[in-house]
C-alpha cells in the first residue's frame, strides 16, 4: 500500500509541475478519487485555491501560471490576445494603465472557476471564431514534464495563425499569445466601446516593423469589415513601409458606410466615421 501511495505521488510530481494547477476532472481521469484528493489536501501534498481546483504547494499564484495551465494541462484552446498580448510584447507605453484584465481568445469559454482565483486580474473571454475564419488551432502541450506529450504543431503553424509563444518563469514554460499583427486586429475589434481611438492611433504609429505576409493572411481570414477598414485607415494614416506590401484588393472590405462614432468625421476612402479630433494628434 505504501508503495502504491508513493507511486501515485511520484506520478503526480511528474504530471503536475509545481506552480501549475488542474481541476478535479483532470485528477479523476488520472485515477485520483475524491477521497484520495482529500487525503492529499490534509497531508499538504495538494492545495485548493478555489473549489474543484488543485495545485502542488508553491508560493503565490500568478495569472500567467493559470493561463499556461489552461493551455497545456487542461486542453483549453485559449490564447492571450488583444491588449494583453500587446502589453507583453513591449507596447504597454502606447496603452494606458496597468494590466488589470487579461484578454483570452478561443472557441470555447474558460472554466467558471477562472475569475474566482485571487491573481490580481480579471479574465475577459472573446470568441475568436467571430473574428477569424478557420479551424481552431490545437495548442501543443509543450514539455512540462515527462508525462506530457510533445508539441503537435510547428512554430511555422503558429506563425501562420498569427500566434507566438513567450517563455515564462524559471522553467521557461510556453505562454501562447497573439503576435502583434493579430493582437492589433483583436484590439481594433474593441473599438469604439472598450478601446480608445487615440490609443490605437498611437499604437499603430509605433509599429514600423511588422510582417506584411502575416497581416495579409490574417486580413484574408478576418470576418469583421469594421476591423479591416479601421486597420487600413490607421495604416494609411501613418504611411508605414509595410503597407505597400499588402494586397488591399485581396481583402474584402464589404459595402456601405459604417458609423463608428456619432458626430465624427467621415472618411470617404473607407466609408467610416472617426473622431473629429483625431487629426489633432499628428
Amino acid at each position: 500500500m505504501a508503495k502504491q501511495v508513493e507511486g501515485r505521488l511520484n506520478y503526480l510530481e511528474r504530471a503536475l509541475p509545481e506552480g501549475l494547477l488542474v481541476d478535479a476532472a483532470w485528477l479523476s481521469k488520472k485515477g485520483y478519487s475524491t477521497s484520495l484528493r482529500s487525503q492529499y489536501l490534509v497531508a499538504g501534498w495538494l492545495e485548493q485555491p478555489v473549489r474543484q481546483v488543485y495545485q502542488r504547494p508553491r508560493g503565490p499564484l500568478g495569472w500567467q501560471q493559470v493561463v499556461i495551465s489552461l493551455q497545456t494541462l487542461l486542453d483549453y484552446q485559449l490564447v492571450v490576445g488583444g491588449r494583453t498580448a500587446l502589453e507583453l510584447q513591449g507596447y504597454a507605453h502606447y496603452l494606458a494603465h496597468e494590466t488589470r484584465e487579461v484578454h483570452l481568445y478561443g472557441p470555447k469559454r474558460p472554466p467558471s472557476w477562472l475569475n474566482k482565483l485571487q491573481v490580481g486580474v480579471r479574465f475577459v473571454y472573446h470568441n475568436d471564431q467571430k473574428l477569424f475564419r478557420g479551424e481552431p488551432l490545437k495548442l501543443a502541450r509543450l514539455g512540462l514534464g515527462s508525462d506530457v506529450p510533445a508539441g503537435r504543431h510547428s512554430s511555422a503553424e503558429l506563425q501562420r495563425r498569427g500566434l507566438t509563444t513567450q517563455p515564462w518563469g524559471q522553467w521557461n514554460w510556453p505562454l501562447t499569445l497573439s503576435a502583434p499583427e493579430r493582437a492589433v486586429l483583436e484590439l481594433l475589434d474593441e473599438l469604439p466601446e472598450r478601446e480608445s481611438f487615440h490609443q490605437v492611433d498611437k499604437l499603430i504609429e509605433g509599429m514600423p516593423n511588422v510582417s506584411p505576409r502575416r497581416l495579409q493572411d490574417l486580413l484574408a481570414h478576418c470576418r469583421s469589415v469594421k476591423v479591416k477598414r479601421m486597420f487600413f485607415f490607421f495604416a494609411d494614416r501613418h504611411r508605414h513601409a509595410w503597407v505597400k506590401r499588402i494586397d488591399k484588393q485581396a481583402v474584402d472590405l464589404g459595402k456601405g458606410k459604417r458609423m463608428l462614432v456619432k458626430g465624427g468625421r467621415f472618411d470617404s476612402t473607407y466609408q467610416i466615421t472617426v473622431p473629429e479630433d483625431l487629426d489633432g494628434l499628428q
Side-chain angles (χ1 to χ4, degrees):
M1 183 65 179
K3 288 185 177 181
Q4 185 178 9
V5 171
E6 183 179 353
R8 285 184 175 276
L9 285 173
N10 288 338
Y11 176 78
L12 195 60
E13 288 179 359
R14 296 194 305 271
L16 177 56
E18 287 184 0
L20 300 188
L21 51 78
V22 292
D23 57 17
W26 185 93
L27 285 167
S28 293
K29 288 179 182 178
K30 302 292 185 183
Y32 297 89
S33 64
T34 302
S35 60
L36 190 56
R37 297 196 298 268
S38 297
Q39 293 177 36
Y40 286 6
L41 289 170
V42 171
W45 296 324
L46 284 176
E47 292 179 344
Q48 197 169 31
V50 296
R51 188 173 179 272
Q52 297 296 299
V53 178
Y54 301 84
Q55 66 178 121
R56 291 170 57 206
R58 182 187 168 77
L61 189 66
W63 70 260
Q64 295 93 338
Q65 295 158 267
V66 176
V67 175
I68 291 168
S69 300
L70 291 172
Q71 292 178 341
T72 57
L73 296 176
L74 295 175
D75 276 342
Y76 279 88
Q77 309 306 314
L78 293 165
V79 300
V80 177
R83 167 184 283 272
T84 317
L86 290 165
E87 290 170 346
L88 289 173
Q89 293 171 93
Y91 296 96
H93 51 292
Y94 298 110
L95 303 169
H97 44 77
E98 60 184 305
T99 302
R100 296 179 181 174
E101 295 181 337
V102 172
H103 293 265
L104 299 177
Y105 288 76
K108 177 184 174 183
R109 284 189 171 276
S112 58
W113 46 258
L114 188 61
N115 273 314
K116 297 177 183 177
L117 295 167
Q118 301 299 311
V119 291
V121 300
R122 183 173 73 92
F123 294 96
V124 181
Y125 168 70
H126 306 263
N127 185 340
D128 67 346
Q129 298 297 289
K130 292 182 179 180
L131 186 56
F132 296 105
R133 298 183 183 87
E135 290 295 318
L137 178 68
K138 296 293 185 183
L139 293 178
R141 302 173 184 177
L142 299 174
L144 299 180
S146 60
D147 288 74
V148 181
R152 292 170 293 191
H153 60 260
S154 65
S155 59
E157 174 68 5
L158 280 176
Q159 291 176 17
R160 190 179 70 81
R161 299 294 189 105
L163 302 174
T164 186
T165 59
Q166 277 189 354
W168 185 86
Q170 68 185 86
W171 291 288
N172 289 330
W173 288 329
L175 178 67
T176 304
L177 64 158
S178 295
E181 295 85 354
R182 183 180 178 113
V184 75
L185 298 182
E186 293 165 343
L187 192 73
L188 284 167
D189 193 40
E190 298 295 290
L191 285 174
E193 292 85 2
R194 292 171 295 278
E195 287 294 343
S196 157
F197 275 89
H198 301 82
Q199 286 189 27
V200 172
D201 184 60
K202 287 299 182 185
L203 171 72
I204 295 180
E205 182 182 13
M207 298 182 77
N209 300 311
V210 295
S211 167
R213 179 181 295 180
R214 185 180 296 167
L215 279 168
Q216 188 82 61
D217 287 343
L218 289 166
L219 290 165
H221 288 88
C222 183
R223 298 178 186 270
S224 173
V225 168
K226 178 196 81 171
V227 166
K228 290 181 284 190
R229 291 188 190 183
M230 287 300 306
F231 170 78
F232 282 117
F233 168 81
F234 283 116
D236 289 354
R237 175 178 167 82
H238 296 296
R239 303 183 183 91
H240 288 310
W242 48 258
V243 179
K244 298 176 182 178
R245 297 173 58 191
I246 297 176
D247 182 4
K248 195 181 299 183
Q249 300 303 315
V251 180
D252 180 10
L253 295 178
K255 296 180 180 179
K257 300 176 182 179
R258 297 292 192 279
M259 187 177 73
L260 303 181
V261 291
K262 292 183 179 180
R265 173 173 59 84
F266 183 70
D267 179 80
S268 58
T269 302
Y270 296 107
Q271 300 281 291
I272 55 176
T273 54
V274 298
E276 190 70 44
D277 61 348
L278 201 55
D279 283 333
L281 297 177
Q282 284 192 311

